[in-house]
């Protein structure tokens, strides 16, 4: 909010992913749900709201979320994880690619070596 992070989550996924793209799609879906809830809360409080920015470091899940075409290699991904496309089209969220080296919460979600 106002340029600051107001929500983040770190949890074990309840499904088994067959690829990193699928795992990231599951994470994006979870993030999308939280973003829509926060957007509704901000609007109910009377503040003007814009599209919520979600930063993603996985290019394959980013492209899959923005491209509604059928892809043979991703047909195993459950359709419910593609709901993010509707949120993008409605202007509720905005996906942006940010390289892994610039992800500010990575130290909180990954083991330190």
């Amino acid at each position: 909010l106002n340029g600051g992070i107001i929500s983040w989550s770190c949890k074990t996924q309840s499904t088994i992913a067959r690829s990193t793209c699928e795992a990231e799609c599951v994470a994006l879906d979870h993030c999308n749900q939280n973003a829509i809830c926060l957007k509704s809360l901000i609007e109910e409080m009377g503040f003007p709201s814009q599209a919520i920015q979600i930063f993603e470091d996985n290019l394959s899940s980013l492209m899959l979320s923005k491209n509604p075409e059928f892809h043979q290699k991703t047909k195993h991904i459950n359709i419910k994880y593609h709901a993010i496309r509707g949120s993008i089209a409605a202007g509720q969220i905005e996906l942006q690619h940010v390289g892994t080296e610039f992800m500010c919460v990575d130290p909180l979600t990954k083991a330190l070596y």
Side-chain angles (χ1 to χ4, degrees), residues 6-24:
I6 58 170
S7 178
W8 70 275
S9 172
C10 180
K11 69 177 210 167
T12 303
Q13 291 181 352
S14 59
T15 60
I16 297 172
R18 295 181 182 177
S19 65
T20 55
C21 178
E22 183 178 7
E24 290 288 338

Side-chain angles (χ1 to χ4, degrees), residues 50-99:
Q50 301 171 346
I52 294 181
Q53 293 180 343
I54 297 176
F55 301 106
E56 174 63 54
D57 64 348
N58 186 283
L59 281 174
S60 58
S61 64
L62 189 70
M63 294 301 169
L64 185 63
S65 297
K66 291 182 176 183
N67 187 355
E69 293 180 22
F70 175 77
H71 298 278
Q72 186 68 24
K73 291 183 178 181
T74 59
K75 67 181 181 180
H76 66 280
I77 298 176
N78 195 325
I79 193 71
K80 72 179 181 178
Y81 300 123
H82 297 298
I84 197 162
R85 292 178 186 157
S87 297
I88 293 169
Q92 294 177 314
I93 65 165
E94 186 178 287
L95 294 180
Q96 288 187 305
H97 179 259
V98 174

